Amino acid sequence: MTLTGRTGLLAALGAVVLVIVPSWWTLLAVDGVLAALVVADLVLAGNVRRLRLHRSGDTNVRLGEEATVALIVENPGPRPLRARLRDAWPPSAGSSPRTVTVTIPPGERRRVETRLVPTRRGDRAAVAVTFRSYGPLGLAARQLNRAAPWTVRVLPAFPSRRHLPAKLARLRELTGQHVALIRGQGTEFDSLREYVDGDDVRSIDWRATARRADVVVRTWRPERDRRIYLVLDTGRTAAGRVGDIPRLDCSMDAALLLGALASRAGDRVDLLAYDRRVRARVEGAARTEVLTAMVRAMAPLEPELIEADAAGMVSALLSRVRQRCLVVLLTDLNTTAIEEGLLPLLPQLTAKHLVVVAAVSDPRVTEMAAARGDSAALYDAAAAERARADRRRVTVELRKYGVEVVDAPPDEIAPALADAYLSLKAAGRL
Amino acid sequence: MTAVQAPPGEPATAGQVARRRWRRSRGILVAVLALLVLGVLLALMRPRTGSETLDPDSPGQDGARALVEITRRHGTPVTVAHTASDAAERLRSQPDAVLVVVRSERLVAADLTALRGAPGDRLLVTPSSETLSALAPGVEASGSAWSTPAPGCTLPAAAYAGDADFLGATTYKAPGEATTCYFDGLGGAGLVQLPMGGATVTVLGSSRLLTNQHLAENGNAALAMNLIEGRAGVVWLLPDLPAPGSGGHKSFSELLPFGVKLAVLQIVIAVVLVALWRSRRLGPVVVEPLPVVVRSAEAVEGRARLYRSRRATDRAAEALRAGALERLTALLGMPRSAASDPAMAAEIVAAVAAHTGQEQAVVGAALYGPPPVDDAGLVSLAGVLDDLERLVRNS
């Protein structure tokens, strides 16, 4: 139970009565009447325990967008319910309004909508619905928490999807929607067909022509059905914030753009998120559903503040992959993490697979490197130059193993990685 | 026309904000207003006491000269005393006289003792609680009369007088042996007469009916005359203000009326109730694990601060030169490894000098010279490196 401001106000007004009629009996009468009214109000307040609660609404929302979750409250009791209601969500779910006043006559139902504007990725579960049911006098209320479970999954924002049409156009340019006649890099044998005027005579298949009456040419098509393995590093280096968002979120964005592009290009896309154990894995998803599957798998991922286990990651990867594939490792070019963790294991990977390392660089470092003026700014610039030199050294060492390195600031990493993929595809290196 | 809908919970216009505030606060405002009106009404109904109230020599509205003059004309001598000891002395000299005590709040403990020892009847007009307990033990103030009550008793003085002006008068509770008149309906009486030893003590709750202004109304004059006439004389005690400090020490709580103490207790109860109301949360506190906020550039910034605190001009210069060399060799189309290769130093210096038109010695000192010894040297070195880079880029 709980009281209201009116109770206190009435008690304060009782003081005036006591000044006029000063006696212990008056005190007893004033407070007795007040207590009786409070008890009567409690008895007459609508029953919360018997309310029936239902939920409906959105279960998925992209980060930065708005979801609406409705709560339907049904009052089967004989008394009307006049209540203050709070649908409690975690703070990062960004729910509003905080409280709602509902009046539900007996036997009726009311719908209460809560808008959610989440501020972080992940699953957001409704905590409880609290009812404060007031009596007819508004002096006291019964209060009770009721469970009304509902979970909204906040998906990555995927802001780089605006780059997708441009990259798809490049892909189409690259491969052509129609079969190519010229055998070249990045193509594979498609079919035989009859020669028509204008075809390149070099593409005539003499053996097939000999078997048939017509001249037959070979056609080629771009490589398809390659396998792309996206590996997200969720270790400590992914936790650092670049601008205002964690590096992991930038990596996810790049991975999603690449995944969307590659699945349209006819390649198979798999995803692995790893730090010291497998955090998420998407394998063998159908081409049309791979993006949805990836987004759902990424939603609850949070960077862990532990050093990633490169050896574990490589073995988790190699145990699942038989054929040659493109391994895209989304991590940071952190000197110690790469030199001690990944470099010794690279030969295992590069022996069979093509490896791309994509890293988000920090614009703050670039800004510091350009700082001039007083000595403090120059020390900043020197430290930034030093960090960039370390990064360059790691890049050079990785390239020695035949690893492609994409190092770009957060707003450019996704298109840069997509471009790297497209040029690898054009070069037929998949 | 489509109106822009404000999201629920957020008011759209100043008018809505004002309306919402008014809705929220109107209950409290009405209560405060009601208290204010009540306070003003109570203050208006209270009998005013001025300097001349019930002064037997005053012809003003609140004075009592009319009553005293009428009494004198009816043959009863009235003497006016201004101190309690004076009054006691006069009473001792004429024991049949009646003592009329007005403005008794001016009497201190010593005065009350003096009066208690004096013989004769007493008429206490709206006595203070001390006076009441000293001169009319057993009688207690109980409340106020809200109407003009009928006498409703057998006391001849009241019965003959009929209705009198008791509106707003103090009423009293009296012990069983006392005669009570003018009831307020709640068990209190505006007029109490009780026998004490051989004499009678009369307590009158209204001073209004004795004043010049109201004496002629209702049965006021009759009641007043009945109460004080028929004696050998009247001693009218209008005490002077007691000398400062003569009243004895009284604590604050003793000075407070009982009703105020009860009201304070009630307000404490109200505060507790309000605290209970405010302390109850609407639902649980929701906790959630928050992600760690680590800025990615923190390590770099830390290194910069370390350089600065140690004045590490040599290391800073080395880093700046390495960066500049990296960019210069790239601009000059040299192999990537040239920047970090000491064997290529002479070649790089020559190429940079050729592109910029600077002397080789200057370029060499900037790119490979001894590190600067102080901050000023570092600043100038950075300036030279930036100039070289710009010149090469523009050449």
Side-chain angles (χ1 to χ4, degrees), chain B residues 311-339:
Chain B
R311 301 255 165 245
T313 46
D314 49 348
R315 281 166 195 274
E318 194 189 322
L320 288 174
R321 278 172 173 163
L325 276 172
E326 189 79 30
R327 287 186 291 275
L328 284 172
T329 48
L331 286 170
L332 294 169
M334 291 179 164
R336 228 175 227 166
S337 58

Side-chain angles (χ1 to χ4, degrees), chain B residues 298-388:
Chain B
E298 220 162 49
V300 180
E301 284 169 359
R303 190 194 289 271
R305 279 195 288 273
L306 209 58
Y307 281 167
R308 195 162 61 208
S309 70
R310 295 278 139 249
R311 301 255 165 245
T313 46
D314 49 348
R315 281 166 195 274
E318 194 189 322
L320 288 174
R321 278 172 173 163
L325 276 172
E326 189 79 30
R327 287 186 291 275
L328 284 172
T329 48
L331 286 170
L332 294 169
M334 291 179 164
R336 228 175 227 166
S337 58
S340 50
D341 187 359
M344 297 281 284
E347 204 176 315
I348 294 173
V349 169
V352 171
H355 272 83
T356 57
Q358 305 254 6
E359 280 182 36
Q360 287 212 10
V362 176
V363 176
L367 290 177
Y368 293 100
V373 290
D374 55 1
D375 286 354
L378 186 67
V379 172
S380 62
L381 174 70
V384 173
L385 289 176
D386 285 349
D387 284 346
L388 287 180

Side-chain angles (χ1 to χ4, degrees), chain A residues 1 3 11 16 31 86 92 120 130 132 143 240-241 247 362 364 372 378-380 385-386 388 392, chain B residues 35 38 262 266 269 277 280-284 288-289 294 296-297 301 303-304 326-327 375 379 386:
Chain A
M1 68 155 272
L3 300 172
V16 179
D31 293 326
R86 175 181 165 219
S92 69
R120 277 196 298 129
T130 308
R132 185 176 280 187
Q143 184 168 325
R241 294 198 170 220
R247 184 169 267 133
D362 194 340
R364 171 82 186 123
R372 290 293 183 270
L378 280 172
Y379 285 124
D380 278 1
E385 287 289 3
R386 172 79 191 267
R388 293 211 294 195
R392 274 196 300 272
Chain B
L35 274 178
L38 197 67
L262 281 181
Q266 181 64 24
I269 292 173
W277 163 48
R280 185 87 157 99
R281 287 186 54 85
L282 186 58
E288 75 169 324
V294 189
S296 170
E301 284 169 359
R303 190 194 289 271
E326 189 79 30
R327 287 186 291 275
D375 286 354
V379 172
D386 285 349

